[in-house]
Amino acid sequence: MRRVVVTGLGLVTPLGADVETAWSNILAGKSGAGPITRFDASDQKCRIACEVKPADHEYGFDANKRVDHKVQRQVDPFIVYGIDAAGQAIEDAGLEDMDEAARLRAGCSIGSGIGGLPGIEKESLILAEKGPGRVSPHFVHGRLINLISGQVSIKYGLMGPNHAVVTACSTGAHSIGDAARMIRDDDADIMLAGGAEATICPIGIAGFAQARALSTAFNDQPEKASRPYDVARDGFVMGEGAGVVVLEEYEHAKARGAKIYAEVIGYGLSGDAYHVTAPHPEGSGAFRSMQMALRKAGVGPADIDYINAHGTSTPLGDELELGAVRRLFGDEIARVSMSSTKSAIGHLLGGAGAVESIFCILAMRDQIAPPTLNLDNPSEGCVGVDLVPHTARKREIRAVLNNSFGFGGTNASLVMKRPD
Amino acid sequence: MSDTAERVQKIVVEHLGVESEKVTQEASFIDDLGADSLDIVELVMAFEEEFGVEIPDDAAEKITTVGDATKYIEEHKG
């Protein structure tokens, strides 16, 4: 069977717009949260977010590095983040100069949970105020979810499968899992896979706040707001950014002497079939997703050392996920480390699963588990589980499990291991 | 350069991300400045906003160079 490995990484996050900066800030226990600066949020219930920082910030994002001026003007920020993260991953993998034969076998699977919400909001206001003749001719293709994959394929000449997953907050994980299957099934040798999101805009914040999903109790202490598993948690903090990996068929990567970060060995998917926003009360969808990923990987709980949890800091979700992990892992739960990096960068929605897969890969590379910030008083269900509170911990990490769950009751789990 | 020509040039530079030296009156939006048909639709909208003129579709279709745009605006602005 064709094996799939990871040979390139790219990140745009609230804690850094390149892989090493973001990762070192995560390990240092920094928080990317702060008051919303993109717009006047004074009338919002939630007035905080984890924004990607501007170019002049210590770890800010400079769109001009990899995205043409004209494209920047025409598309929503989630596409800009996605193009940049994909570019980083291609450069990291040393694939900037693929010949035509290679490019015919290279594709994209970069999705988003929501797509170009800020642009939809802005152009809707223009439509209402100035009429249809003032709506941008770039409105549609500048907001569409599959336009990261579209733009990246045009920029780098990638003529293989061109795909884009839309599964809310599990988009990033499904994107990687689907792309890995495309390589396994011989549709491609190389896939750019991941997700991006940028919905920190008035209607994005208002919409999630009205769904009672966002934290509203920590507007005056933004860095304390994302606190997965803590008794005082009251909702997630919206993040933004992108994560993209280069997936490559193992023999292909070996033949060109590529640096191999990890192997994707298991992918599980399931549906809760329960409720549009609330997770299944017994965590059954999460359980089945993880169970399938382990089964496909041919490993058991004893082989997994680190879990990057979905752990969004919502009152319901965190403990249901933990309960599902507990049931699946049995006694092995005492040996595993499980943390939520959303405590540091917030919830990147459609980008989360990809960004967190990259953190999993780096955790294996550096043999260190990233921390769960703000875990001052773990809730009852956390007893006996190492949630890596406050500070990163060195430990053996042979294989990892990454969970992502989304509105609609959609679940995805990935299992990756260190390269042989 | 006339005031209109200068403002047209500024809009083209901003929208297409090209160097201002390239935006001569003779420059073709598509052949010289890398625009596509949708970029021209957007530019026409920007000209309409900037100069308070209306450029109907049949007139917009005939605007292929920077000079065409400048000439149309000078002839039609209030």
Side-chain angles (χ1 to χ4, degrees), chain A residues 369-391:
Chain A
T372 304
L373 307 187
N374 298 316
L375 185 46
D376 299 330
N377 297 298
S379 58
E380 230 169 78
C382 301
V383 178
V385 185
D386 173 26
L387 295 166
V388 201
H390 305 299
T391 47

Side-chain angles (χ1 to χ4, degrees), chain A residues 96-354:
Chain A
E96 302 101 311
D97 300 312
M98 282 184 273
D99 62 19
E100 190 180 349
R103 289 185 286 108
L104 281 163
R105 298 274 303 165
C108 296
S109 167
I110 309 170
S112 177
I114 301 176
L117 199 54
I120 292 171
E121 178 179 59
K122 181 173 154 246
E123 294 289 329
S124 296
L125 293 171
I126 289 173
L127 174 70
E129 286 164 16
K130 299 181 176 175
R134 284 291 174 273
V135 171
S136 167
H138 302 291
F139 171 63
V140 175
H141 53 269
R143 321 274 97 72
L144 284 179
I145 282 175
N146 69 305
L147 260 287
I148 303 174
S149 284
Q151 290 276 1
V152 169
S153 72
I154 293 163
K155 185 171 161 72
Y156 294 99
L158 310 180
M159 294 175 279
N162 203 270
H163 181 59
V165 169
V166 185
T167 51
C169 304
S170 45
T171 297
H174 276 130
S175 298
I176 292 173
D178 286 4
R181 286 184 170 183
M182 289 176 194
I183 292 175
R184 190 197 63 189
D185 290 355
D186 206 12
D187 300 331
D189 294 324
I190 289 168
M191 289 293 293
L192 275 287
E197 204 76 74
T199 52
I200 301 174
C201 60
I203 202 158
I205 294 290
F208 277 102
Q210 291 296 78
R212 304 296 185 265
L214 294 179
S215 169
T216 55
F218 294 88
N219 282 319
D220 299 326
Q221 297 172 280
E223 299 193 351
K224 299 283 173 202
S226 187
R227 42 194 318 116
Y229 311 108
D230 188 85
V231 289
R233 69 187 187 274
D234 75 321
F236 75 79
V237 177
M238 193 182 289
E240 61 173 352
V244 176
V245 298
V246 172
L247 297 179
E248 190 167 350
E249 194 272 322
Y250 174 68
E251 296 296 340
H252 190 276
K254 220 170 61 169
R256 68 181 187 91
K259 163 183 60 187
I260 296 177
Y261 284 100
E263 180 169 357
V264 181
I265 55 174
Y267 173 35
L269 323 78
S270 73
D272 275 4
Y274 174 69
H275 188 268
V276 284
T277 60
H280 189 281
E282 283 145 27
S284 80
F287 180 90
R288 286 179 288 109
S289 171
M290 290 187 278
Q291 188 181 45
M292 185 194 291
L294 291 179
R295 178 168 60 80
K296 293 285 176 116
V299 302
D303 301 303
I304 303 291
D305 294 318
Y306 172 67
I307 302 170
N308 190 295
H310 186 58
T312 58
S313 187
T314 56
L316 266 179
D318 292 4
E319 280 191 71
L320 290 174
E321 179 184 11
L322 190 49
V325 170
R326 200 185 278 284
R327 286 201 304 288
L328 184 62
F329 276 66
D331 292 344
E332 292 293 332
I333 191 91
R335 198 190 42 76
V336 172
S337 293
M338 167 165 158
S339 64
S340 169
T341 43
K342 290 186 179 77
S343 59
I345 57 166
H347 190 355
L348 270 69
L349 309 173

